[in-house]
Amino acid sequence: MTEFFTHFFISNISISFALLLLIFVRFMFRKQLTCNGRYNTIYIVLFLLVIPFIPVNNSFIFQAIGFIRSLFNRSTSAANTVTPVPINTSPSSNGNWMNDFAISVNSTSTIYPKLLFIIWLAGVYIFSIRLIVSGISLYKLKKSAVPITDDTVILNIYSECLELCNVRRYKPKLYSSSALSGAVIVGVFRPVIYIPRQINDCISDYTITDLRHILLHELQHFKRRDNAVNMFICIFCILYWFNPVVIYTLHTARHDREKACDNDVLQCLGQNYAAKYGQTILRAAASRFSSSSSLSFKSKSRKKLLKTRLQLIVDFKPVTNREKRKCIYAFSIIILLMTVCAPLSVYALDDTQYKDFAPMNLESLDLSSYFSDYNGCFALYDKGNDKWYIYNQDKALCRTSPDSTYKIYDAVMALEHGIITSDNSFMRWDGSTYPFDAWNTDQTLRSAMTGSVNWYFDNLDAAMDHTDVKNFLGLIEYGNQNINSAQNCYWLESSLTISPVEQVELLCHLKNNDWKLSKTNVDTVIESMFIANSDGKSLYGKTGTGRVDDININGWFVGFITSNDNDYFFATNISLSENDNQFLSADGLSASKISLSILRDLGIYAYEYQSE
């Protein structure tokens, strides 16, 4: 649930900006928007507020884009099943194999997200109690109310109001209650109008004109389905209780609702009745029976609203067709701006997914039999045919820590900044004792890449300026580009994350040198990734393992195969779920075995295996 709250909190930032934009646009179009037009923007607000709760994953968007593109492309995207062939358990132990050494890091979960989540829940609980209390009051009102069936004066007035409002299908029933001091309409699906029982006893206090105005006002709420809208407003006031922009916007919507109803009543009655309708509002505000009525005002906010409503009533003029057209145009522009900009801004703030992937040529593979023990994915790009093959696209687009696969680009940065060179990448071991023998010796780029030697790449990082690293990651567009971790190894189960699809794209750019880097430096890094040759094809790759609290939770194998006629780029990622076997290990070696099995069965590359 804390993950949801993090997403919810991030979405609130974007929603707040979107609502501020809406407030600004409403102000700019204040002369073009009618009272109803201003109030109808509440539907845009409700749409924005529901976005964080919509369980739509990003791949749905990508699939939609891919479907549109497929209309202009004849490539198939049906899922093909690949069945694994039994293999020996370990790859050849030649010196070129990528040793999968990883040091465990401690989980760094902080109490602050959980604390904020608890505070948010407490606020939801408190405001929910207020809503429940209101519900109990309405229940008591229902129990105390009696239908008005024999008061011909009130029933005749009500019939006239129904006719004026053109209410013909379902007609809200009319009840009276001694628990009320003002008229109110209650209910979402089958609303009922309640009026004070005192009206029956003393009709003179509520003149016939005033009663007609009050009933017309409540019927306008009924026609507009305001009770349903108000229900959502109440819910969102609870969920967004901590967001002042949301609360202000919803509070404004309530005021706009009353103004719109006043306008609709006067549209029914005509401009000549504006003065009398205004007097009804003033009498209701002064009446001792008005505290619960929608026409009542006690607080400063209500007094301010009363003043605004009276001013609008004084200035009322029937809406002309030209004004309606202006309102429609202005409202259309607002809808266009908000439905395009606002959801995308909420979506863009989430950097846990790779969003810029919509290939023209994509085929889904069913490789579930290879990943039976893991939550895994596989992404392959066939450069010669410009075609993607992906298993588990949701995970293939999900960003996670790159772990030691990041060392590929760490090496490129160090070479580009002259920290090491293609001719001299030697680094002397400082004598510190590490858990792996391969780390306890002097290193070159080749040996450090093969042994995945953390201290070698830590020293490369330390020799580079933080800004230079940030700029380089921006140049190559590496994942979320977040290196603001409190840990030194930002790439090791920390702030920096990348998706398998991005891994494939980056390897393709590296091999092609699309970033216009030094060719010598690029070739040096690629040579350090070399693993083996087979049947005229060369395999290059790098493993990565995320080890947290002494448990291997994240395994990578990324690389490419080159031949005379084609290049293939691939990435495999596996992870553990909460229900996984405690003896299962999601590490780079396991990911490499899965990758090579898939590549072999697809007929792309056959690696020589040996028994243990």
Side-chain angles (χ1 to χ4, degrees):
M1 289 299 292
T2 54
E3 291 182 2
F4 162 74
F5 179 72
T6 301
H7 166 73
F8 180 55
F9 178 77
I10 292 173
S11 298
N12 263 265
I13 299 173
S14 181
I15 288 172
S16 297
F17 281 112
L19 292 180
L20 290 173
L21 174 63
L22 176 62
I23 293 171
F24 173 75
V25 174
R26 274 186 30 141
F27 175 78
M28 295 300 295
F29 287 110
R30 64 190 182 280
K31 294 183 178 179
Q32 287 76 25
L33 290 172
T34 62
C35 289
N36 283 306
R38 284 191 291 272
Y39 173 63
N40 286 337
T41 57
I42 184 60
Y43 297 103
I44 300 175
V45 175
L46 297 179
F47 169 71
L48 291 175
L49 297 182
V50 80
I51 287 177
F53 302 94
I54 299 177
V56 177
N57 57 40
N58 294 334
S59 64
F60 173 82
I61 299 174
F62 302 140
Q63 290 168 4
I65 297 174
F67 172 75
I68 295 173
R69 289 186 170 182
S70 69
L71 297 177
F72 305 95
N73 190 295
R74 295 184 179 274
S75 301
T76 61
S77 59
N80 292 331
T81 303
V82 181
T83 305
V85 178
I87 61 172
N88 292 320
T89 57
S90 66
S92 172
S93 58
N94 67 66
N96 289 332
W97 180 256
M98 297 288 102
N99 291 309
D100 189 47
F101 299 134
I103 292 180
S104 178
V105 297
N106 296 324
S107 57
T108 56
S109 59
T110 175
I111 193 175
Y112 295 112
K114 294 180 180 178
L115 181 61
L116 290 175
F117 178 64
I118 292 173
I119 294 174
W120 175 71
L121 278 181
V124 169
Y125 176 75
I126 293 171
F127 285 95
S128 296
I129 290 177
R130 293 179 56 183
L131 185 62
I132 293 172
V133 170
S134 298
I136 294 174
S137 299
L138 292 177
Y139 177 78
K140 291 180 178 179
L141 171 64
K142 180 180 179 181
K143 287 296 183 180
S144 66
V146 294
I148 299 177
T149 57
D150 54 358
D151 193 318
T152 56
V153 175
I154 294 177
L155 290 176
N156 287 337
I157 294 173
Y158 186 51
S159 296
E160 293 175 10
C161 293
L162 289 170
E163 188 68 26
L164 275 174
C165 293
N166 197 27
V167 176
R168 302 190 183 280
R169 285 192 174 183
Y170 174 76
K171 300 176 181 179
K173 294 182 179 179
L174 198 60
Y175 283 74
S176 66
S177 171
S178 59
L180 272 181
S181 56
V184 64
I185 183 167
V186 176
V188 175
F189 301 106
R190 301 186 72 81
V192 174
I193 296 177
Y194 296 93
I195 61 175
R197 188 168 295 172
Q198 293 88 334
I199 294 179
N200 298 48
D201 302 330
C202 190
I203 190 67
S204 59
D205 288 344
Y206 270 84
T207 66
I208 292 176
T209 300
D210 288 343
L211 181 60
R212 180 182 290 108
H213 292 165
I214 290 172
L215 291 175
L216 284 173
H217 188 93
E218 300 305 325
L219 284 173
Q220 291 301 331
H221 282 307
F222 165 73
K223 285 187 64 178
R224 301 168 58 86
R225 303 291 190 270
D226 284 343
N227 281 6
V229 174
N230 191 62
M231 178 185 68
F232 286 104
I233 289 177
C234 291
I235 292 172
F236 286 129
C237 279
I238 293 173
L239 296 175
Y240 290 88
W241 64 265
F242 61 93
N243 190 324
V245 179
V246 172
I247 298 302
Y248 171 79
T249 305
L250 296 178
H251 178 71
T252 302
R254 285 191 170 112
H255 287 188
D256 289 338
R257 178 180 63 205
E258 298 305 321
K259 297 173 189 176
C261 278
D262 291 339
N263 183 80
D264 288 344
V265 170
L266 292 176
Q267 291 286 352
C268 291
L269 294 173
Q271 187 175 1
N272 294 334
Y273 287 86
K276 292 182 178 180
Y277 182 71
Q279 291 171 1
T280 297
I281 291 181
L282 284 174
R283 278 193 290 269
S287 173
R288 64 186 179 91
F289 299 129
S290 64
S291 60
S292 299
S293 174
S294 61
L295 297 175
S296 67
F297 304 87
K298 272 196 166 183
S299 66
K300 292 181 179 179
S301 175
R302 289 180 176 180
K303 290 179 180 179
K304 183 178 179 181
L305 175 60
L306 171 61
K307 182 178 179 180
T308 305
R309 287 174 65 183
L310 289 175
Q311 186 62 51
L312 289 174
I313 291 170
V314 170
D315 298 335
F316 171 79
K317 291 181 181 179
V319 179
T320 64
N321 290 333
R322 182 182 179 186
E323 289 173 332
K324 289 180 181 179
R325 287 194 297 269
K326 286 183 178 181
C327 179
I328 292 173
Y329 295 150
F331 196 78
S332 300
I333 293 173
I334 294 174
I335 290 178
L336 181 64
L337 284 174
M338 302 309 298
T339 55
V340 172
C341 299
L344 290 179
S345 61
V346 173
Y347 179 61
L349 281 174
D350 180 12
D351 67 356
T352 61
Q353 294 278 335
Y354 179 43
K355 308 175 181 71
D356 299 327
F357 181 68
M360 295 285 291
N361 202 349
L362 169 65
E363 182 175 330
S364 296
L365 298 176
D366 181 5
L367 304 175
S368 55
S369 54
Y370 294 87
F371 295 89
S372 56
D373 295 328
Y374 300 102
N375 176 19
C377 65
F378 176 79
L380 173 73
Y381 176 62
D382 178 349
K383 181 182 176 183
N385 295 305
D386 189 24
K387 185 172 183 178
W388 283 83
Y389 299 85
I390 293 182
Y391 164 68
N392 194 353
Q393 184 170 325
D394 285 349
K395 184 170 177 60
L397 295 169
C398 182
R399 286 173 172 166
T400 187
S401 174
D403 298 316
S404 288
T405 63
Y406 174 73
K407 293 170 182 175
I408 299 170
Y409 305 97
D410 213 6
V412 175
M413 273 191 292
L415 287 164
E416 286 292 302
H417 286 85
I419 298 169
I420 56 176
T421 66
S422 58
D423 297 325
N424 182 16
S425 60
F426 177 82
M427 192 176 296
R428 191 174 299 281
W429 173 47
D430 65 1
S432 301
T433 302
Y434 296 97
F436 313 110
D437 291 339
W439 291 19
N440 298 320
T441 186
D442 299 338
Q443 302 289 336
T444 63
L445 177 59
R446 173 62 186 171
S447 65
M449 191 73 76
T450 303
S452 202
V453 182
N454 279 13
W455 67 259
Y456 182 91
F457 293 95
D458 287 344
N459 289 342
L460 295 183
D461 267 344
M464 286 184 282
D465 184 74
H466 183 275
T467 302
D468 291 336
V469 175
K470 186 74 174 177
N471 291 340
F472 182 80
L473 295 184
L475 170 68
I476 67 174
E477 298 181 347
Y478 191 96
N480 67 351
Q481 304 172 36
N482 186 352
I483 59 174
N484 299 320
S485 170
Q487 305 176 32
N488 292 330
C489 296
Y490 48 85
W491 44 268
L492 190 60
E493 295 303 317
S494 189
S495 59
L496 186 64
T497 58
I498 191 171
S499 68
V501 166
E502 288 173 289
Q503 292 267 32
V504 173
E505 291 181 338
L506 287 176
L507 287 171
C508 188
H509 290 314
L510 177 67
K511 177 67 167 55
N512 299 333
N513 194 14
D514 294 331
W515 303 312
K516 308 302 180 185
L517 307 176
S518 165
K519 186 178 184 302
T520 301
N521 292 339
V522 171
D523 291 343
T524 299
V525 173
I526 290 177
E527 288 170 8
S528 72
M529 296 169 59
F530 175 73
I531 296 175
N533 287 319
S534 178
D535 296 329
K537 299 177 181 178
S538 299
L539 172 66
Y540 299 81
K542 183 73 185 78
T543 56
T545 298
R547 187 172 176 82
V548 178
D549 297 332
D550 296 321
I551 300 175
N552 294 332
I553 64 168
N554 190 31
W556 283 99
F557 186 50
V558 303
F560 53 89
I561 296 108
T562 64
S563 63
N564 292 330
D565 56 355
N566 201 0
D567 293 335
Y568 296 90
F569 302 84
F570 65 88
T572 299
N573 179 251
I574 58 176
S575 60
L576 294 180
S577 63
E578 293 181 359
N579 299 323
D580 280 333
N581 190 311
Q582 61 178 332
F583 300 108
L584 197 62
S585 176
D587 52 36
L589 182 59
S590 299
S592 67
K593 291 178 181 179
I594 293 172
S595 301
L596 294 174
S597 298
I598 294 172
L599 293 170
R600 182 199 59 192
D601 295 341
L602 290 175
I604 295 174
Y605 185 83
Y607 188 81
E608 295 294 333
Y609 282 87
Q610 293 182 353
S611 299
E612 290 183 330

